[in-house]
Amino acid sequence: PYSFLGRFLQNQGKRQQARTAYERALALEDDAMTHYRLGTLWLEEGQVAEARQHFEHAVKLDSSHVNALYELSKLAMDAGEVATALRYLQRLSHLVPYRADIFSLLGRLYFQQGAYTTAALYLWEARDLEPNAPEVERLLLQVYQRLLQRQQEVINRMAPEPDRSIAGVAPEKSKSRRSSGARGGVPH
């Protein structure tokens, strides 16, 4: 009952009273949902470290706590911890395979890391789940532009050097042979 009271008080904007109710609830039972709610309260107050601890504890108690995993993934992204964010989002994609926002976040993170093919796969999954998401469409366009750019770079590296010789003028290699021959004491 204290956890529900805490949620009610939190929704009313009475944060200190809500925190007290959550802490009483946790004193009676170490419960994932109460840790999650207390984490959201700390997050509202800008206390990221405390929020993260409660979200992590919620996941420790319930490894499939979707909301806590989602919050942890966002906190990891904000902290620049890409590998950690990817790990949380991968777990979420298996737990709730119907949430386009998770696949979109995965696609965005892989795009930022330059893993464009993987980004495209996740973004297509997001698009299949939510066909009219402009953010996903925009990211897909950027992914394919980068993939085309990479392809063009590979083609350019593989292309042979153009023949820069002009009719009647020997290429530079020939000139260097002549000059080295002249130094060798063989007159021309």
Side-chain angles (χ1 to χ4, degrees):
Y2 284 112
S3 185
F4 291 112
L5 175 61
R7 182 176 180 198
F8 175 77
L9 292 167
Q10 185 177 357
N11 289 338
Q12 298 294 313
K14 300 176 180 177
R15 293 186 179 131
Q16 183 58 44
Q17 293 166 316
R19 185 178 309 107
T20 301
Y22 289 141
E23 288 169 356
R24 283 185 183 159
L26 290 173
L28 295 172
E29 179 184 5
D30 203 18
D31 155 66
M33 183 54 76
T34 305
H35 276 287
Y36 167 73
R37 289 177 179 159
L38 190 52
T40 62
L41 181 67
W42 282 115
L43 203 55
E44 287 174 7
E45 294 180 354
Q47 302 299 319
V48 175
E50 289 85 354
R52 190 174 195 157
Q53 286 176 342
H54 285 284
F55 294 142
E56 288 172 346
H57 200 86
V59 171
K60 181 180 174 185
L61 293 171
D62 177 4
S63 62
S64 64
H65 197 291
V66 171
N67 293 330
L69 286 166
Y70 189 75
E71 292 298 333
L72 285 167
S73 72
K74 290 190 326 186
L75 290 173
M77 284 188 291
D78 291 345
E81 299 168 3
V82 176
T84 302
L86 287 171
R87 191 175 70 247
Y88 287 131
L89 289 168
Q90 289 288 350
R91 284 174 65 183
L92 283 166
S93 73
H94 295 288
L95 290 170
V96 284
Y98 49 84
R99 288 204 30 200
D101 59 328
I102 292 167
F103 289 100
S104 178
L105 284 173
L106 279 164
R108 184 180 307 134
L109 278 175
Y110 279 109
F111 175 79
Q112 291 169 350
Q113 297 304 303
Y116 303 124
T117 304
T118 306
L121 293 172
Y122 283 112
L123 291 169
W124 275 108
E125 190 69 34
R127 187 173 184 262
D128 287 346
L129 292 167
E130 194 175 321
N132 298 320
E135 172 70 10
V136 172
E137 293 291 332
R138 184 185 62 76
L139 280 170
L140 272 170
L141 179 62
Q142 289 178 348
V143 164
Y144 284 110
Q145 287 172 340
R146 297 287 173 88
L147 285 170
L148 285 171
Q149 182 181 6
R150 276 192 178 172
Q151 184 180 23
Q152 189 60 48
E153 289 169 0
V154 169
I155 289 170
N156 290 343
R157 280 193 303 260
M158 292 174 52
E161 285 291 319
D163 186 10
R164 297 183 192 266
S165 65
I166 301 173
V169 178
E172 288 182 30
K173 285 185 177 181
S174 298
K175 287 181 185 178
S176 64
R177 272 191 235 138
R178 272 192 222 146
S179 61
S180 67
R183 280 183 289 178
V186 181
H188 287 265

